[in-house]
Each structure stands twice: as structure tokens, then as C-alpha cells.
Amino acid sequence: MAWTDDRVEELKKLWAEGLSASQIAKKIGGVTRNAVIGKVHRLGLSGRAAPSRPSSRPARTPKPRVVAPVKAKAPAPRKVMEPAIEAPAPERLPNGEFATVLTLKDSMCKWPIGDPASGDFRFCGHRTKAGDAYCEAHAQIAYQPQQKRKRKVSDAQAALDALQATRRVNF
């Protein structure tokens, strides 16, 4: 079915009235919704004068949201864990030099000492247990037990109460 001048005029009129592409296709007959959309784009028709579907419901005004204030405490300063054992000084190799990335062996501690960009960067070099990466002193520094969370019951209950109050107000 071809678009005749009469059908194009009808399309323009119905489009300006705010009908949807499906409604226009039904009124004109013999065309699909997609054909109507394609023709509208080819004709360069602008936006509509009215919405495509008039609303049968009255517009709702949004309810103002009331949020209960939550009292927040400043986070406690973090404590720096001090190693339980003083780290040993780097061990010298038999040739008098310190362990470097080129001289490290599986049985040597791989704890880095100093700045890798500087010339005096080295590794600890002390003996390790089989399969360990660090000597006993450095292993205690590297593998510290996970700290347990300490949360006061009152803080948790206050947060839960605030959340429940917010839900009651908003819903």
C-alpha cells in the first residue's frame, strides 16, 4: 500500500492531534504501526500538541519524604599494630653483600628493606622454614590475626531503630 497525498495529510492531522502510531495505523487502515513511525520520521514531523494517551487518573503529587536523623559518631582513630618481635637486621651473604632479587633463594626471607628505587635496597635474607616466604620475625609482622569487630549493642540497636522509623514514615 502506497502513501497517497490524502493519506499523508490524514497522518499529519492525526499526528498533530496526539494519536499514537498504532491508533493512526488503525484509523488510516492498511498500514502498520512501524510504517506510520517511518513516515513520520521521513516527513520530519515534530513533537505532538497533546500527549499520545490522555491520563485517566489524576496526577499524583509526590509525598514529602521525612527521614529521621541518625546520630553518627566520628570513627575512632585506627591503631597501628606494633610487631610483637623486633625485626632482625638484614643478613649478609658469605661474600659480604646483602640479599638482592638476583641472589634470593627459596630458603631465604624475602622481606623487602628500603626503597626499591634506591641503590641500597635489599631483602632480609635470614633462613626460613620450608615453604615460608619470610623468617619467623617478619612472618609475625606480615601475618597478623584479623581483628574482631567491636560493636556496641546500643549502636546497632540505634541504627536499626532509625531504619525502621524511616521505613514507617516513607511507606
Side-chain angles (χ1 to χ4, degrees):
M1 141 99 230
W3 285 98
T4 63
D5 291 337
D6 293 335
R7 294 177 77 111
V8 170
E9 290 304 316
E10 180 75 11
L11 168 67
K12 288 179 182 179
K13 183 183 111 202
L14 295 172
W15 185 260
E17 289 176 7
L19 271 66
S20 70
S22 297
Q23 294 167 333
I24 295 170
K26 285 180 186 174
K27 287 208 179 212
I28 292 177
V31 293
T32 64
R33 170 186 166 275
N34 287 340
V36 171
I37 293 170
K39 192 63 174 176
V40 166
H41 284 286
R42 285 191 299 278
L43 292 172
L45 298 179
S46 62
R48 308 173 189 278
S52 62
R53 254 191 284 163
S55 177
S56 60
R57 296 185 289 181
R60 288 189 336 169
T61 56
K63 294 179 185 178
R65 293 187 122 192
V66 179
V67 179
V70 177
K71 295 179 182 177
K73 293 182 181 178
R78 287 191 163 184
K79 296 178 183 176
V80 177
M81 295 294 295
E82 294 293 326
I85 296 178
E86 186 69 27
E91 188 169 308
R92 290 188 181 267
L93 298 176
N95 64 1
E97 294 184 9
F98 292 104
T100 66
V101 72
L102 298 174
T103 60
L104 274 178
K105 299 205 176 4
D106 288 341
S107 62
M108 297 172 76
C109 178
K110 293 156 188 70
W111 186 267
I113 298 173
D115 182 13
S118 69
D120 62 344
F121 177 71
R122 60 192 62 141
F123 292 92
C124 172
H126 283 97
R127 293 196 55 72
T128 63
K129 294 179 184 173
D132 288 349
Y134 304 120
C135 64
E136 194 172 325
H138 285 127
Q140 285 186 352
I141 297 170
Y143 307 120
Q144 293 185 3
Q146 190 175 19
Q147 298 295 317
K148 292 197 179 210
R149 276 187 158 174
K150 293 180 183 176
R151 178 182 267 183
K152 294 180 182 175
V153 174
S154 60
D155 290 346
Q157 190 61 43
L160 183 60
D161 292 342
L163 179 63
Q164 288 175 343
T166 303
R167 285 186 179 160
R168 273 188 244 121
V169 170
N170 290 333
F171 295 105

